[in-house]
């Protein structure tokens, strides 16, 4: 079962409706509803974006990320979830000179199971991943954000700075993530 963490993004309902449409076995929980001592009950994780910054939310998401990495569980961090992936493993984020909102073209720069070539996605963020620590690598970039897609080694741990739940190409990425994790 997938744990879909609802960090308060205005787009989370679109994500969970899509997971339902795909008949995905998942549980949607807000951070205050998650017991991080029981993460072994989940096969994989999706971390949504957020609206506000909260210490407890940050801690829960970091605990989930560390668990996923340590136990080789698939994880997809969306927007804030990608930022937390970088931060939890020693990276940095920064406020962007101008927020990014709308359609963005991402150039995929390394082979990965989620996407190839160029993808058209929807972005809505004012922070970006500015430094990614090893063993995270950037596998996609755009003219507005250098680290649009990041990956932990060759695992199924990914972060995407955009909102894949809001565009056709992004939905294909979610489907590929689900297909890869079920192999």
């Amino acid at each position: 079962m997938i744990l879909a963490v609802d960090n308060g993004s205005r787009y989370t309902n679109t994500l969970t409706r899509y997971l339902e449409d795909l008949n995905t076995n998942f549980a949607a929980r807000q951070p205050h509803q998650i017991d991080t001592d029981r993460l072994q009950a989940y096969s994989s994780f999706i971390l949504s974006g957020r609206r506000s910054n909260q210490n407890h939310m940050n801690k829960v998401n970091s605990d989930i990320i560390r668990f996923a990495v340590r136990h080789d569980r698939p994880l997809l961090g969306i927007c804030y979830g990608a930022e937390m992936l970088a931060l939890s493993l020693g990276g940095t984020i920064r406020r962007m000179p101008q927020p990014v909102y709308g359609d963005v073209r991402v150039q995929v720069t390394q082979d990965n199971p989620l996407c190839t070539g160029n993808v058209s996605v929807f972005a809505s963020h004012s922070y970006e991943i500015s430094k990614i620590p090893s063993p995270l690598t950037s596998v996609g970039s755009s003219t507005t954000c250098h680290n649009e897609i990041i990956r932990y080694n060759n695992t199924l741990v990914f972060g995407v700075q955009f909102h894949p739940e809001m565009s056709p190409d992004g939905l294909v990425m979610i489907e590929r993530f689900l297909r890869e994790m079920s192999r």
Side-chain angles (χ1 to χ4, degrees):
M1 175 185 298
I2 300 170
L3 174 60
V5 181
D6 177 358
N7 291 306
S9 168
R10 71 179 81 170
Y11 309 116
T12 304
N13 286 338
T14 303
L15 172 65
T16 56
R17 275 196 310 272
Y18 190 64
L19 293 174
E20 288 171 357
D21 289 347
L22 295 175
N23 295 314
T24 306
N25 185 17
F26 75 99
R29 302 282 185 269
Q30 295 175 348
H32 71 273
Q33 299 171 313
I34 298 170
D35 180 352
T36 56
D37 290 330
R38 297 179 184 260
L39 295 176
Q40 67 277 5
Y42 301 100
S43 61
S44 55
F45 306 91
I46 298 176
L47 311 178
S48 82
R50 68 168 169 90
R51 283 191 191 189
S52 64
N53 190 21
Q54 299 170 6
N55 288 336
H56 178 70
M57 180 174 67
N58 294 342
K59 181 183 180 331
V60 168
N61 280 271
S62 285
D63 288 348
I64 292 168
I65 289 164
R66 288 186 189 101
F67 177 87
V69 166
R70 187 172 39 251
H71 297 284
D72 195 26
R73 304 278 174 96
L75 180 138
L76 177 61
I78 297 171
C79 196
Y80 161 80
E83 294 163 6
M84 287 305 301
L85 175 59
L87 286 171
S88 297
L89 300 178
T92 60
I93 63 172
R94 69 175 165 231
R95 187 180 255 314
M96 300 178 77
Q98 293 188 21
V100 177
Y101 184 82
D103 295 331
V104 173
R105 197 93 172 130
V106 174
Q107 173 63 46
V108 177
T109 56
Q110 287 188 17
D111 287 341
N112 71 83
L114 301 187
C115 54
T116 59
N118 290 321
V119 291
S120 182
V121 295
F122 177 81
S124 176
H125 58 95
S126 54
Y127 287 86
E128 68 177 333
I129 300 164
S130 54
K131 178 184 164 216
I132 53 174
S134 180
L136 286 174
T137 57
S138 179
V139 298
S141 65
S142 72
T143 58
T144 60
C145 186
H146 183 69
N147 300 305
E148 287 280 4
I149 306 170
I150 59 175
R151 184 179 190 187
Y152 183 83
N153 281 335
N154 284 328
T155 68
L156 287 177
V157 174
F158 284 90
V160 294
Q161 188 66 73
F162 49 86
H163 289 271
E165 67 273 31
M166 299 301 294
S167 70
D169 285 354
L171 293 175
V172 169
M173 292 175 71
I174 292 171
E175 287 179 39
R176 288 180 177 176
F177 174 76
L178 296 173
R179 185 173 49 238
E180 286 294 320
M181 57 171 247
S182 65
R183 286 184 178 198

